[in-house]
Amino acid sequence: MRATLLLRNIDRANTIGFLGLGAMGRGMAANLLNKTFAGQQGVFTPSSTASKPTFVVYDPFAPALNDFLSTHTRAYAGRDVVPASSPAGVVRLASTVVTMLPSATEVEEVYLGENGFREGLEGLSDERREGTLFIDCTTGNRDHARGVAKEMEALGAAMVDAPVSGGVVGAEKGTLSFMVGGPEEAFNRAQPYLEKMGARYIHCGESGNGLAVKICNNLLLGISMVGTAEAMLLGRSLGLSPELLASVINTSTGRCWSSESNNPAPGATPQIPTPADRGYTGGFLSKLMSKDLKLALASAATSSTPLPLGQLTATLYDKLSAHDEFAARDFSVVFEYLNQAREGALNGAGAGKKGEGVN
Ligand code: NAD
């Protein structure tokens, strides 16, 4: 009954869809919804907007969907924040759709699979298809993303890849940076939505280029984190205090984001609390770093680019992510992983965690 009423009354051009209400998506969707319904300042006055935007959400993980709905339907009583039963259902109801999914596999499933966006679009008029914009914020494979964008464009819709940096805190605070790939016109159409979820958005060129930039950045981030962890661990093994070593590195040529803002050695930067200071909780998970390094290796394979350090770093994060205690912690936990390898060696158990080699 409710769904029938909605389908009849919904103003599709004025409706936003959001899929993937996980660690990142729930904060991004909340900002997009709050700033759409209540204005950039986040103050909701029921009479402030003549037109009535609607927000449609979908996530197959029921707790994620229910949490989001119970929070926001209460906050915006009288407005429509509604669930759809499939990705196809979302695109039938909404002309602008944001996706924030785990990986390229889910992107292909949601866009091209059964009950996916392609099926939803196929049932719409040409005018409605042309009015459709997809903003995919997933960190996925660049070539797959290009293929999906081509399929959407063949049906008349526009699509940008818009992966983010800034983490869960940035998603919640609305301070993310978006790296956007796709046609200029699609980028311009995406801007009003991106600015509600982030502080910066950069057009990086054609479809797939947002992901290319993201993947290159995270390749360097992974390498620089491992380098920082090695230097900090060697320093501690040689009897240096982490705070002293970090203060010298951070005013010298070894300085980088990993040494300065996310130092992997506990106690290294007392003035800047890091995940290392709270048992490596919060932050950017090792398993996500492992995924991103694999994306870099896949892109390197298709472009014949040698990545010797990238390969070593990817192998290290792959091994580390095989252990639950490391996989779901901030990626600076590589310091602790190497430390355990050192202790294993000192105790005569050989290098590596539980007897395994570290590289
Ligand atoms: P997550 O696993 O917490 O959330 C993903 C959500 O997608 C889940 O709620 C899941 O149920 C949902 N989902 C899975 N299949 C779906 C489908 N078919 N349709 C709709 N929803 C579906 O992941 P996350 O941490 O939010 O990360 C999302 C993306 O952002 C990843 O690509 C990740 O690499 C990237 N990213 C994450 C961070 C971070 O710090 N977590 C930072 C930058 C980028």
Side-chain angles (χ1 to χ4, degrees):
M1 177 64 177
R2 171 99 176 122
T4 321
L5 275 176
L6 263 169
L7 280 170
R8 203 182 310 135
N9 297 334
I10 215 156
D11 172 11
R12 184 178 180 274
N14 208 19
T15 296
I16 301 170
F18 201 107
L19 289 89
L21 300 165
M24 295 293 289
R26 76 173 81 98
M28 293 167 67
N31 279 310
L32 184 55
L33 185 149
N34 289 334
K35 291 177 190 170
T36 302
F37 280 11
Q40 205 71 19
Q41 273 64 47
V43 180
F44 176 53
T45 44
S47 57
S48 64
T49 3
S51 62
K52 190 181 172 213
T54 305
F55 208 82
V56 183
V57 286
Y58 174 73
D59 192 305
F61 183 53
L65 186 65
N66 293 338
D67 276 2
F68 189 86
L69 286 171
S70 64
T71 306
H72 296 287
T73 46
R74 214 175 300 131
Y76 294 107
R79 294 287 179 114
D80 284 324
V81 184
V82 293
S85 56
S86 69
V90 175
V91 81
R92 284 186 199 114
L93 296 172
S95 63
T96 303
V97 181
V98 182
T99 47
M100 188 50 159
L101 304 168
S103 71
T105 310
E106 290 81 9
V107 172
E108 292 204 331
E109 186 186 312
V110 161
Y111 281 74
L112 308 178
E114 202 182 331
N115 275 323
F117 294 152
R118 180 166 55 191
E119 251 181 67
L121 282 177
E122 279 166 355
L124 297 176
S125 66
D126 287 354
E127 193 190 343
R128 288 193 161 198
R129 288 184 196 185
E130 280 157 23
T132 305
L133 171 68
F134 295 107
I135 303 173
D136 180 31
C137 302
T138 311
T139 305
N141 179 296
R142 182 190 73 138
D143 295 334
H144 291 205
R146 280 187 172 170
V148 171
K150 270 202 181 120
E151 296 254 7
M152 296 302 107
E153 281 158 17
L155 288 164
M159 179 170 176
V160 293
D161 48 292
V164 306
S165 76
V168 175
V169 173
E172 283 166 1
K173 291 190 173 162
T175 55
L176 294 172
S177 293
F178 290 89
M179 295 146 264
V180 189
E184 179 102 39
E185 198 243 329
F187 170 69
N188 292 337
R189 280 170 65 187
Q191 280 187 39
Y193 304 95
L194 298 177
E195 73 185 19
K196 291 183 174 67
M197 297 184 283
R200 254 169 31 116
Y201 39 90
I202 304 147
H203 189 209
C204 304
E206 63 182 5
S207 173
N209 276 17
L211 281 165
V213 170
K214 167 79 183 169
I215 289 165
C216 292
N217 179 70
N218 280 21
L219 168 69
L220 181 57
L221 178 62
I223 292 171
S224 65
M225 177 55 79
V226 173
T228 306
E230 287 186 357
M232 294 304 299
L233 185 61
L234 178 63
R236 201 173 71 173
S237 306
L238 298 178
L240 300 174
S241 100
E243 189 178 352
L244 171 98
L245 180 56
S247 75
V248 175
I249 288 176
N250 287 333
T251 49
S252 306
T253 45
R255 172 183 173 185
C256 62
W257 182 85
S258 298
S259 68
E260 204 169 32
S261 302
N262 208 74
N263 197 296
T269 55
Q271 69 290 6
I272 304 170
T274 60
D277 296 324
R278 43 176 196 270
Y280 301 97
T281 54
F284 183 54
L285 306 188
S286 296
K287 62 182 176 187
L288 291 179
M289 174 51 83
S290 179
K291 180 193 77 154
D292 291 358
L293 288 165
K294 285 179 185 154
L295 292 173
L297 294 186
S299 292
T302 56
S303 60
S304 303
T305 311
L307 298 184
L309 287 182
Q311 178 71 63
L312 280 174
T313 308
T315 305
L316 190 50
Y317 274 104
D318 192 32
K319 283 191 172 181
L320 187 149
S321 298
H323 302 282
D324 288 345
E325 75 213 76
F326 295 124
R329 301 227 207 149
D330 182 72
F331 74 120
S332 60
V333 78
V334 67
F335 176 89
E336 182 53 30
Y337 180 76
L338 295 175
N339 181 47
Q340 289 186 15
R342 174 176 183 268
E343 284 172 1
L346 287 177
N347 296 334
K353 173 141 179 85
K354 292 170 188 152
E356 71 187 16
V358 290
N359 53 30

